[in-house]
Amino acid sequence: MSDRARTTVRRLPAVLFGLVLFGFGMGLMVEADLGLSPWEALHQGISIHTPLTIGVAGILTGFVVLLAWIPLRQRPGLGTVLNIMVVGLVIDGTLLLIEPPASFVARLALMLGGLVIVALGSGIYIGRRLGPGPRDGLMTGLAKRGLSIRLARFLIEGTVLLVGWLLGGTIGLGTVAFAVLIGPMVQFFLGRLDVARP
């Protein structure tokens, strides 16, 4: 077995754990019903108008986004494919297991807890360096073509958020919290969990 293969096998359990956390946190945010990230709002909107669950809508969207990597000459890793499959399945599983709370305070706690869990899962997953998620790869692929990361992210997520909202996805306090807090929180966890950290 090559060194690269051994590294992949060694990091795989942590990647899976991080993706499970990510999906679980997203599921909690869905149940809180206070607003979702742009992509989850899109997936929810698709699920409203089709027989698909929100998780399956996310899986199919992930594969469609992966097709957009081809002209951008992005190369997926094992983590990329696992990201597409695991997160959607865990979101659907979470929605089956967790009942939506009745009170606003409980919903707010669920939303904030979900956000922290998403950030932690992201830090674990990204820090193992087995391939970016399909949506992140789209952003970095556009950046390699001349757009700044900031502009690429704004254009992609702004478009996705608009379409998600038009389809009936939940936009609200959780959407704002995600937009403002997810970057710093992922950076915090990644700084402590990145395998390449000095």
Side-chain angles (χ1 to χ4, degrees):
M1 184 182 290
S2 68
D3 289 343
R4 185 172 182 178
R6 278 195 292 270
T7 298
T8 298
V9 170
R10 191 173 65 250
R11 294 179 182 178
L12 192 56
V15 167
L16 291 171
F17 180 61
L19 292 173
V20 168
L21 284 179
F22 187 103
F24 179 62
M26 278 297 182
L28 295 182
M29 290 189 70
V30 173
E31 290 290 38
D33 196 31
L34 290 175
L36 298 172
S37 72
W39 284 102
E40 291 313 314
L42 174 64
H43 304 155
Q44 186 183 53
I46 292 171
S47 73
I48 290 170
H49 296 279
T50 67
L52 303 175
T53 63
I54 187 171
V56 172
I59 291 170
L60 295 179
T61 302
F63 280 114
V64 170
V65 170
L66 203 56
L67 292 176
W69 283 31
I70 296 172
L72 297 173
R73 297 181 183 175
Q74 291 283 91
R75 304 185 93 175
L78 176 61
T80 308
V81 178
L82 290 174
N83 180 298
I84 294 172
M85 298 299 299
V86 173
V87 171
L89 294 175
V90 174
I91 289 174
D92 281 349
T94 302
L95 298 183
L96 289 175
L97 295 173
I98 305 293
E99 291 292 326
S103 73
F104 175 77
V105 172
R107 289 164 61 203
L108 184 63
L110 203 64
M111 180 203 78
L112 293 174
L115 188 58
V116 172
I117 293 170
V118 166
L120 175 60
S122 297
I124 294 171
Y125 160 72
I126 296 169
R128 302 289 79 77
R129 297 177 177 253
L130 289 186
R135 296 149 186 89
D136 291 330
L138 178 61
M139 177 183 64
T140 56
L142 289 172
K144 288 179 182 177
R145 294 289 176 158
L147 293 178
S148 68
I149 289 285
R150 182 178 300 177
L151 180 57
R153 180 168 186 154
F154 174 78
L155 292 174
I156 293 168
E157 298 205 351
T159 302
V160 167
L161 183 63
L162 177 61
V163 174
W165 175 71
L166 291 173
L167 291 174
T170 307
I171 308 299
L173 179 62
T175 310
V176 176
F178 190 93
V180 172
L181 298 176
I182 195 65
M185 290 171 67
V186 171
Q187 184 175 8
F188 172 82
F189 287 119
L190 188 57
R192 288 151 180 79
L193 299 169
D194 192 343
V195 292
R197 180 170 62 92

